[in-house]
Amino acid sequence: MTSELRSNFLRTQIQSDLEKGVVAELVTRFPPEPNGYLHIGHAKSITVNFGLAEQFGGRCHLRFDDTNPEKESQEYIDSIQEDVRWLGFQWSGEVRYASSYFQQFYEWALHLIDEGLAYVCDLSADDARRYRGTLTEPGRDSPFRDRMPEENRALFEQMRNGSFEDGSRVLRAKIDMSSPNINLRDPILYRIRRAHHHQTGDEWPIYPTYDFAHGQEDAIEGVTHSICTLEFEDHRPLYEWFLANLPVPHLPRQIEFARLNTSYTVTSKRTLKLLVDSGTVSGWDDPRMPTIAGLRRRGYPAAAIRHFCEEVGTSRSDSVVDVAMLESAVRDHLNQHAPRAMCVMTPLKLILTNLESDKDLIIANHPSDESKGSRSVTFSSQLWIDADDFREEANKKYKRLVLGKRVRLRGAYVIEAERCEHNEQGEVNCVYAKVIPNTVGEDPEDGIKPKGVIHWVSAVTGVSATIRLYDRLFTVPNPAKSDDVLSVVNPDSLREVNTAVVEPSLVHAAVESVYQFEREGYFVADRYDHSPSQPVFNLTIGLRDSWGTAK
Ligand code: ATP
Ligand code: MG
């Protein structure tokens, strides 16, 4: 990791646990449920868990919390592994699955039953809700609470053997129906659900709940610090109750931190799935999505995402981070690392009246990093410049090409516009200019300096390309608060430009490589659609933060 590691409460706690010998080696885990693609919030959890293991010479497991088979799939399992690796992390050992421990969980459930600490409850879901009480009122004991262990064991074995209807009975822990913490009011441990599981097939007609599974998974794997987000704080007493009442091989400890929330972003997997299923975006990896696969396709470098996750810090108070901070981390990284190239979005023909022959100019790939080398670019008497970069008349603020005035062509000569032609609609469609001799890298000898620099592409060697201009997906800072999230989708979040011409070196850009198109922004060769015969670039980010300001 390149960035300075700042201290935070997790690092302090772990440092102290290692120094005092509370644990010999740090073991963390990243425990996604494979029910969607990972998003920027998961990137935070990944950098926390894998980052701590790296920092303290420990281990981090990747464990799928796969206790809800209906919503899970192999596609999600594959994408999650790919995303973790792409972010730059490698889990310790094999990929792990909660479902590998189903038999152990089942035996532990029987243990609780035998100890008189769990019972089979036949209340309907509605009745169970009524018996549970509220935040201000205690719950009431289920009429099935005093079943004897033998009866509970027999019923639970029948649940496991598939003798009962889905949803007809549950196994509950026997804790305290009057606890102020609702999680302790005889929580459900198992439900009957004849669902096909992506790992265990049709072996199990019953599935454990998250609460009954998570701490035991940590215990089986020897996880020392089970780091999760604050919404699990109220579940911690239950996490500890299971560990205290089961013959587990190891005692993990749960520690919570605040989730990462960024403005203009949704991070609920349900909402992200809705965006995909409604066709609002092209898929989970659409470049507008806050998924890791989407950010990757957008051209966000993994290192910039890791840096951002470190910079936002790790605390116990919830907050919303301005998404501009993520964008700025991306921009800073790319400014330093992305090679430069030229692309004209809206081409206007520029004819140089005094250029005797084509020239091959050597242009540096980066203004301050010589190690990025240089390339040869053909300078011909017919060039494309951007239509926005020429005006017949303009005031002094306009520092581009104006009739009778000079401008520098990036990496090439100073030119002076002489005249222009118009099409039938009266629009300028061709500009004639003369080259001022000996001005590559030099000021004109007559002392009349150009005010600005514009980019260009040779009309002879330039290649047409598709450019996808992306903007934020939502028009409001907190889309998750909207009743109908689809109604706050930015209708202009994708604009495809089909007129663009790029310099020929870009045809061979490796997919996923990001360039700064001079004066336009950072663009990535699309991971799937870019090819030498049809170049396709996605806007990663503009050169400046121009959100909300008129362009
Ligand atoms: P859900 O439980 O609704 O499916 P989830 O976002 O909690 O969604 P998980 O797959 O359970 O998804 O998350 C895996 C891990 O990532 C958990 O430890 C969770 O706490 C953490 N995580 C999820 N969202 C964030 C976030 N926004 N910031 C930090 N950590 C997060
Ligand atoms: Mg979760």
Side-chain angles (χ1 to χ4, degrees):
M1 227 173 270
T2 48
S3 52
E4 275 287 296
L5 297 180
R6 276 183 284 149
S7 105
N8 64 45
F9 78 102
L10 288 174
R11 288 185 176 133
T12 308
Q13 179 69 53
I14 290 166
Q15 178 104 41
S16 148
D17 289 348
L18 287 166
E19 278 168 11
K20 290 189 187 141
V22 178
V23 298
E25 184 194 19
L26 173 68
V27 183
T28 57
R29 86 288 171 263
F30 173 62
E33 181 176 359
N35 61 352
Y37 279 57
L38 299 180
H39 53 62
I40 184 71
H42 294 118
K44 174 70 194 172
S45 178
I46 291 169
T47 53
V48 165
N49 282 294
F50 285 91
L52 286 167
E54 243 169 47
Q55 185 193 346
F56 291 102
R59 288 182 281 135
C60 180
H61 297 176
L62 173 63
R63 180 215 304 151
F64 288 105
D65 227 333
D66 55 345
T67 55
N68 264 314
E70 289 108 322
K71 291 187 178 158
E72 300 166 2
S73 78
Q74 192 61 40
E75 177 191 353
Y76 299 141
I77 290 177
D78 295 342
S79 73
I80 289 170
Q81 295 181 52
E82 184 176 7
D83 289 348
V84 171
R85 275 202 218 95
W86 178 77
L87 271 179
F89 298 105
Q90 182 58 51
W91 47 92
S92 166
E94 298 287 303
V95 171
R96 292 152 215 259
Y97 295 86
S99 53
S100 320
Y101 315 137
F102 279 174
Q103 180 62 29
Q104 176 69 80
F105 297 160
Y106 177 71
E107 286 164 23
W108 278 340
L110 288 171
H111 175 89
L112 290 180
I113 289 172
D114 292 344
E115 297 288 311
L117 294 173
Y119 61 98
V120 172
C121 180
D122 307 352
L123 285 179
S124 68
D126 281 345
D127 282 339
R129 202 170 305 121
R130 275 190 280 278
Y131 273 78
R132 193 178 306 131
T134 64
L135 283 175
T136 49
E137 277 174 44
R140 283 178 293 137
D141 286 357
S142 157
F144 305 97
R145 198 173 199 260
D146 293 324
R147 272 181 169 152
M148 299 312 282
E150 298 71 35
E151 186 185 358
N152 283 317
R153 184 177 250 275
L155 285 170
F156 186 55
E157 282 169 354
Q158 282 173 280
M159 277 170 67
R160 193 265 172 267
N161 294 334
S163 308
F164 303 128
E165 290 291 295
D166 281 20
S168 59
R169 290 183 160 92
V170 294
L171 182 72
R172 299 174 69 174
K174 192 168 179 177
I175 308 182
D176 179 2
M177 287 308 292
S178 61
S179 170
N181 183 341
I182 292 185
N183 294 302
L184 295 179
R185 294 185 191 166
D186 292 8
I188 296 177
L189 312 187
Y190 271 93
R191 291 192 172 87
I192 306 174
R193 251 145 102 206
R194 280 176 189 71
H196 185 80
H197 191 287
H198 47 95
Q199 303 300 316
T200 57
D202 296 317
E203 193 186 332
W204 292 91
I206 54 171
Y207 288 99
T209 53
Y210 170 89
D211 281 321
F212 187 61
H214 203 90
Q216 285 78 282
E217 293 159 23
D218 290 336
I220 291 169
E221 294 182 6
V223 167
T224 56
H225 295 72
S226 178
I227 298 162
C228 62
T229 36
L230 278 175
E231 69 268 25
F232 293 105
E233 190 172 14
D234 290 346
H235 295 243
R236 188 175 355 120
L238 182 55
Y239 181 99
E240 289 170 353
W241 188 91
F242 289 127
L243 296 176
N245 287 289
L246 290 170
V248 291
H250 162 88
L251 286 180
R253 170 168 171 204
Q254 174 178 311
I255 310 182
E256 310 86 18
F257 74 102
R259 318 171 65 84
L260 169 66
N261 301 301
T262 51
S263 60
Y264 293 98
T265 312
V266 293
T267 51
S268 140
K269 280 189 257 184
R270 201 171 45 84
T271 312
L272 294 174
K273 189 164 182 328
L274 173 68
L275 291 167
V276 174
D277 292 345
S278 62
T280 307
V281 295
S282 65
W284 285 94
D285 63 355
D286 184 294
R288 292 165 289 181
M289 289 283 269
T291 51
I292 294 176
L295 299 174
R296 172 178 181 179
R297 194 160 171 207
R298 181 78 177 259
Y300 280 30
I305 297 173
R306 290 198 307 265
H307 181 74
F308 165 74
C309 289
E310 174 62 24
E311 283 298 292
V312 295
T314 305
S315 78
R316 281 184 54 85
S317 51
D318 274 316
S319 63
V320 178
V321 174
D322 190 341
V323 74
M325 211 176 140
L326 170 61
E327 294 167 348
S328 146
V330 170
R331 199 177 283 118
D332 288 351
H333 181 98
L334 293 175
N335 182 35
Q336 211 184 328
H337 297 284
R340 275 47 172 174
M342 291 193 277
C343 165
V344 172
M345 299 280 173
T346 316
L348 169 63
K349 183 66 71 70
L350 176 76
I351 297 180
L352 300 172
T353 53
N354 60 342
L355 189 74
E356 278 153 21
S357 59
D358 289 1
K359 304 214 181 296
D360 287 324
L361 300 176
I362 303 298
I363 300 184
N365 290 333
H366 195 279
S368 57
D369 181 356
E370 281 181 18
S371 74
K372 297 240 177 316
S374 58
R375 65 198 187 282
S376 170
V377 183
T378 305
F379 188 76
S380 43
S381 61
Q382 297 214 5
L383 304 178
W384 297 116
I385 60 170
D386 200 283
D388 267 355
D389 287 341
F390 172 76
R391 286 195 194 159
E392 293 176 73
E393 302 167 44
N395 64 24
K396 283 188 178 152
K397 281 193 201 149
Y398 187 79
K399 299 212 178 346
R400 312 178 209 174
L401 188 60
V402 180
L403 276 188
K405 302 276 170 51
R406 291 180 179 184
V407 82
R408 175 176 293 284
L409 295 175
R410 171 70 84 206
Y413 294 89
V414 173
I415 57 163
E416 186 173 307
E418 298 172 314
R419 63 191 174 87
C420 64
E421 285 172 359
H422 302 86
N423 62 15
E424 282 168 7
Q425 288 78 45
E427 298 155 347
V428 175
N429 64 358
C430 182
V431 178
Y432 292 84
K434 65 179 177 195
V435 171
I436 311 297
N438 306 321
T439 49
V440 179
E442 306 283 341
D443 283 337
E445 285 155 7
D446 62 10
I448 305 172
K449 291 188 196 171
K451 293 227 183 64
V453 181
I454 62 172
H455 59 283
W456 55 277
V457 170
S458 162
V460 180
T461 60
V463 178
S464 67
T466 299
I467 308 287
R468 297 171 183 156
L469 298 178
Y470 291 104
D471 206 338
R472 291 184 186 165
L473 185 54
F474 295 104
T475 53
V476 295
N478 193 342
K481 281 229 173 99
S482 169
D483 294 336
D484 173 12
V485 81
L486 298 182
S487 71
V488 293
V489 167
N490 176 3
D492 300 319
S493 57
L494 167 59
R495 190 160 67 83
E496 195 165 286
V497 177
N498 292 305
T499 52
V501 184
V502 295
E503 59 170 86
S505 66
L506 287 172
V507 166
H508 301 289
V511 294
E512 298 202 69
S513 54
V514 185
Y515 290 80
Q516 184 192 99
F517 288 177
E518 302 265 9
R519 302 179 59 239
E520 293 287 359
Y522 296 96
F523 291 81
V524 64
D526 188 79
R527 188 175 171 194
Y528 301 114
D529 301 332
H530 174 83
S531 71
S533 57
Q534 183 48 61
V536 179
F537 289 90
N538 303 331
L539 174 65
T540 304
I541 191 89
L543 293 173
R544 278 168 290 279
D545 182 6
S546 58
W547 176 257
T549 59
K551 292 205 180 133

